[in-house]
Amino acid sequence: MELTEKTYKPNIAQVGQPVLRQKAKVVEDILAEDCQQLIKQMMSTVEQAGGVGIAAPQIFQSLRVFIMCSKPNVRYPNAPYMEPTAIINPEIMHMSTAVEKDWEGCLSVPSMRGLVPRHKTIKVRYLDQQANEHEVEFTDFVARIFQHELDHLDGLTFIDRLESTHDLVSESYWYQRYAAKG
């Protein structure tokens, strides 16, 4: 079988693709049909991929939208459960001084895990799918998801946050060495 772009191209942008390095645009009309369809597509994509979050640039749309949907799964067995939530035009208003390094993966960086420092607690502001404004404090794993996805809107991946390349491992090695320790 001949290997062509169609053969191996996933529906999620992969590291190296230019859309992942762009600063995403502010969403002007959240209630517009195209924005609502984008949110539905993102919800479906992240569910099918088994992720706990996905940003619009990861599905080739350079807009300031991401989905947070923390739940225990194969990739994150200890994740807390939260309802899938559309986060639109997000901003971090305050970050704790406490920072913790923990393992992250990314649907756009397949087969890799990195030990990434993130703020343990953040206070954020965002609009939801109905254009309602929220101010919320997130902690621990959910704060990590928010920061990870917000980075995508600013053209960054978790690789950019590593303190050292020694903090990057293959996902298969991560499962063998770290996942078993829970």
Side-chain angles (χ1 to χ4, degrees), residues 13-22 57-58 108 152 154-157:
Q14 301 296 289
V15 68
Q17 292 183 289
V19 69
L20 294 176
R21 290 300 184 186
Q22 298 170 358
Q58 291 180 274
S108 292
H152 279 301
D154 293 330
L156 301 170
T157 67

Side-chain angles (χ1 to χ4, degrees), residues 61-131:
Q61 298 295 316
S62 191
L63 293 167
R64 296 191 77 75
V65 179
F66 63 79
I67 305 299
M68 289 183 19
C69 52
S70 179
K71 64 189 169 303
N73 63 43
V74 172
R75 296 178 75 229
Y76 299 101
N78 299 318
Y81 179 81
M82 71 179 290
E83 281 295 317
T85 305
I87 308 288
I88 304 160
N89 298 334
E91 60 181 303
I92 296 177
M93 300 164 53
H94 176 75
M95 298 180 281
S96 66
T97 56
V99 172
E100 180 177 68
K101 284 175 77 170
D102 205 352
W103 293 104
E104 291 184 22
C106 181
L107 299 173
S108 292
V109 186
S111 304
M112 300 299 291
R113 289 282 177 127
L115 199 52
V116 182
R118 299 278 186 193
H119 296 275
K120 283 186 61 73
T121 303
I122 56 175
K123 184 174 183 184
V124 303
R125 180 182 308 144
Y126 66 90
L127 300 171
D128 67 18
Q129 191 170 354
Q130 288 75 41

Side-chain angles (χ1 to χ4, degrees), residues 11 13 17-29 34-35 38-39 41-42 54-66 87-90 149-156:
N11 60 354
Q17 292 183 289
V19 69
L20 294 176
R21 290 300 184 186
Q22 298 170 358
K23 185 166 174 81
K25 297 178 185 120
V26 169
V27 176
E28 299 294 336
D29 186 359
D34 58 343
C35 184
L38 172 64
I39 292 166
Q41 180 185 358
M42 291 171 67
I54 195 166
Q58 291 180 274
I59 62 163
F60 303 95
Q61 298 295 316
S62 191
L63 293 167
R64 296 191 77 75
V65 179
F66 63 79
I87 308 288
I88 304 160
N89 298 334
E149 300 306 334
L150 183 60
D151 276 353
H152 279 301
L153 304 186
D154 293 330
L156 301 170

